[in-house]
Amino acid sequence: MIQLLEVLDKWTGILDIGGDVDVVYLDLAKAFDSVPNNRLLLKLEYYGVKGTLLEWMKDFLIGRRQLVMVAGSRTGSHWAPVLSGVPQGSVLRPLLFISYINDMPETVSSFIYMYADDTKVVREVTTGRDCEELQADLDSIQHWSEKWQMKFNSR
């Protein structure tokens, strides 16, 4: 709710003085299920998680397996390793996900508002240069998504 108020305040502030605002809405595809476990551990270590806690996180994330069952039957499915995703139902899920995407705003000069897997990129547009900078920010976000293996929905 607070983010919504901040966004509206930003937009109306620009519009009230006769400015124009461009907003791009982005949504990460299968966001919570797509977080690569090994890369998440690298980021956690970068943020200062070390020692026993980091080892506990490795044990929590690495080595998970899954199996498809229908009506209590395996239906020919075999156990398969889970290589990505923060564990569903875990109280750590939101924290781990936020830790993984937390550096995305550092890649842009436009205003960026994030809530879970949704992102709004906002820029006041008064010149052609502003449009170019917004495009450069979108290109930077795309580069971030490729580097960290997180895809955006195309629709």
Side-chain angles (χ1 to χ4, degrees), residues 9-143:
D9 184 57
K10 185 71 176 163
W11 292 350
T12 56
I14 295 169
L15 295 173
D16 284 348
I17 60 172
D20 294 314
V21 178
D22 279 0
V23 181
V24 179
Y25 286 85
L26 303 169
D27 178 63
L28 288 166
K30 299 182 182 179
F32 287 83
D33 297 327
S34 299
V35 174
N37 293 333
N38 287 324
R39 289 174 181 250
L40 172 58
L41 289 167
L42 288 174
K43 283 197 176 189
L44 291 174
E45 191 170 9
Y46 173 79
Y47 291 138
V49 176
K50 297 193 182 337
T52 305
L53 182 56
L54 184 61
E55 289 303 315
W56 183 85
M57 295 303 282
K58 283 180 186 175
D59 290 343
F60 182 64
L61 293 169
I62 305 297
R64 291 182 294 128
R65 300 180 310 149
Q66 64 186 5
L67 172 74
V68 176
M69 295 188 68
V70 177
S73 175
R74 286 173 57 156
T75 66
S77 177
H78 300 288
W79 285 103
V82 177
L83 303 175
S84 66
V86 287
Q88 203 168 20
S90 164
V91 295
L92 290 177
R93 187 175 192 173
L95 180 63
L96 292 173
F97 179 75
I98 290 168
S99 296
Y100 194 70
I101 66 166
N102 189 52
D103 60 344
M104 187 194 317
E106 297 170 14
T107 66
V108 301
S109 62
S110 297
F111 295 100
I112 187 167
Y113 300 94
M114 297 168 53
Y115 183 78
D117 60 345
D118 296 319
T119 302
K120 289 182 275 305
V121 183
V122 180
R123 187 166 199 97
E124 180 177 9
V125 177
T126 56
T127 67
R129 180 72 185 134
D130 294 324
C131 294
E132 292 169 6
E133 288 181 18
L134 177 59
Q135 183 59 56
D137 285 344
L138 295 175
D139 293 342
S140 293
I141 290 172
Q142 179 63 32
H143 177 73

